Short mmCIF file of all heavy atoms in Angstrom, two decimals:
data_model
loop_
_atom_site.label_atom_id
_atom_site.label_comp_id
_atom_site.label_asym_id
_atom_site.label_seq_id
_atom_site.Cartn_x
_atom_site.Cartn_y
_atom_site.Cartn_z
N TYR A 675 -19.88 43.96 -3.69
CA TYR A 675 -19.04 44.63 -4.69
C TYR A 675 -19.38 46.16 -4.76
O TYR A 675 -18.54 46.97 -5.04
CB TYR A 675 -19.22 43.96 -6.08
CG TYR A 675 -18.78 42.50 -5.95
CD1 TYR A 675 -19.76 41.51 -6.10
CD2 TYR A 675 -17.47 42.14 -5.68
CE1 TYR A 675 -19.41 40.18 -5.95
CE2 TYR A 675 -17.13 40.82 -5.54
CZ TYR A 675 -18.09 39.83 -5.67
OH TYR A 675 -17.72 38.55 -5.49
N HIS A 676 -20.64 46.45 -4.57
CA HIS A 676 -21.03 47.86 -4.57
C HIS A 676 -20.48 48.56 -3.31
O HIS A 676 -19.94 49.68 -3.40
CB HIS A 676 -22.55 48.05 -4.63
CG HIS A 676 -22.98 49.47 -4.57
ND1 HIS A 676 -24.10 49.86 -3.93
CD2 HIS A 676 -22.35 50.60 -5.05
CE1 HIS A 676 -24.20 51.19 -4.02
NE2 HIS A 676 -23.18 51.68 -4.70
N ALA A 677 -20.53 47.88 -2.15
CA ALA A 677 -19.98 48.45 -0.94
C ALA A 677 -18.50 48.69 -1.13
O ALA A 677 -17.97 49.76 -0.74
CB ALA A 677 -20.26 47.54 0.25
N LYS A 678 -17.82 47.70 -1.72
CA LYS A 678 -16.39 47.80 -1.95
C LYS A 678 -16.08 49.07 -2.85
O LYS A 678 -15.20 49.84 -2.58
CB LYS A 678 -15.88 46.53 -2.64
CG LYS A 678 -14.42 46.55 -2.97
CD LYS A 678 -13.98 45.26 -3.62
CE LYS A 678 -12.52 45.37 -4.14
NZ LYS A 678 -12.05 44.13 -4.79
N LEU A 679 -16.84 49.15 -3.92
CA LEU A 679 -16.62 50.31 -4.83
C LEU A 679 -16.82 51.61 -4.08
O LEU A 679 -16.07 52.57 -4.31
CB LEU A 679 -17.58 50.16 -6.04
CG LEU A 679 -17.52 51.35 -7.02
CD1 LEU A 679 -16.13 51.38 -7.74
CD2 LEU A 679 -18.65 51.26 -8.03
N GLY A 680 -17.85 51.65 -3.27
CA GLY A 680 -18.13 52.89 -2.53
C GLY A 680 -16.92 53.30 -1.63
O GLY A 680 -16.51 54.47 -1.62
N ILE A 681 -16.37 52.30 -0.95
CA ILE A 681 -15.25 52.59 -0.05
C ILE A 681 -14.00 53.03 -0.91
O ILE A 681 -13.28 53.99 -0.58
CB ILE A 681 -14.88 51.37 0.80
CG1 ILE A 681 -16.05 51.05 1.73
CG2 ILE A 681 -13.63 51.64 1.65
CD1 ILE A 681 -16.44 52.15 2.65
N LEU A 682 -13.78 52.28 -2.00
CA LEU A 682 -12.63 52.64 -2.89
C LEU A 682 -12.83 54.08 -3.38
O LEU A 682 -11.87 54.86 -3.42
CB LEU A 682 -12.52 51.63 -4.06
CG LEU A 682 -12.10 50.19 -3.70
CD1 LEU A 682 -12.17 49.33 -4.94
CD2 LEU A 682 -10.72 50.15 -3.05
N MET A 683 -14.02 54.39 -3.76
CA MET A 683 -14.28 55.74 -4.35
C MET A 683 -14.10 56.80 -3.25
O MET A 683 -13.56 57.88 -3.55
CB MET A 683 -15.69 55.72 -4.90
CG MET A 683 -15.93 56.83 -5.88
SD MET A 683 -14.89 56.64 -7.37
CE MET A 683 -16.04 55.93 -8.51
N SER A 684 -14.49 56.43 -2.02
CA SER A 684 -14.28 57.43 -0.91
C SER A 684 -12.76 57.67 -0.76
O SER A 684 -12.35 58.79 -0.55
CB SER A 684 -14.92 56.96 0.37
OG SER A 684 -14.16 55.94 1.02
N LEU A 685 -11.98 56.60 -0.79
CA LEU A 685 -10.51 56.71 -0.70
C LEU A 685 -9.98 57.57 -1.79
O LEU A 685 -9.07 58.38 -1.58
CB LEU A 685 -9.88 55.33 -0.62
CG LEU A 685 -10.20 54.45 0.57
CD1 LEU A 685 -9.79 53.01 0.31
CD2 LEU A 685 -9.45 54.96 1.80
N GLN A 686 -10.48 57.35 -3.00
CA GLN A 686 -10.00 58.06 -4.17
C GLN A 686 -10.27 59.60 -3.98
O GLN A 686 -9.41 60.43 -4.23
CB GLN A 686 -10.74 57.59 -5.42
CG GLN A 686 -10.19 58.20 -6.72
CD GLN A 686 -8.81 57.71 -7.04
OE1 GLN A 686 -8.55 56.51 -7.03
NE2 GLN A 686 -7.84 58.61 -7.26
N LYS A 687 -11.45 59.94 -3.51
CA LYS A 687 -11.80 61.36 -3.31
C LYS A 687 -10.95 61.97 -2.22
O LYS A 687 -10.57 63.13 -2.29
CB LYS A 687 -13.27 61.53 -2.96
CG LYS A 687 -14.22 61.02 -4.05
CD LYS A 687 -14.27 61.91 -5.27
CE LYS A 687 -15.29 61.42 -6.27
NZ LYS A 687 -15.16 62.03 -7.62
N MET A 688 -10.67 61.18 -1.16
CA MET A 688 -9.78 61.65 -0.07
C MET A 688 -8.39 61.93 -0.62
O MET A 688 -7.76 62.88 -0.28
CB MET A 688 -9.74 60.61 1.04
CG MET A 688 -11.03 60.33 1.77
SD MET A 688 -11.51 61.58 3.04
CE MET A 688 -10.31 61.27 4.28
N LEU A 689 -7.97 61.00 -1.44
CA LEU A 689 -6.61 61.09 -2.07
C LEU A 689 -6.52 62.32 -2.95
O LEU A 689 -5.62 63.13 -2.88
CB LEU A 689 -6.27 59.83 -2.81
CG LEU A 689 -4.85 59.69 -3.42
CD1 LEU A 689 -3.83 59.57 -2.30
CD2 LEU A 689 -4.78 58.45 -4.34
#
Side-chain angles (χ1 to χ4, degrees):
Y675 302 111
H676 178 217
K678 177 181 174 180
L679 177 66
I681 297 300
L682 291 176
M683 200 62 100
S684 77
L685 292 165
Q686 186 69 53
K687 299 286 183 196
M688 296 280 289
L689 185 67

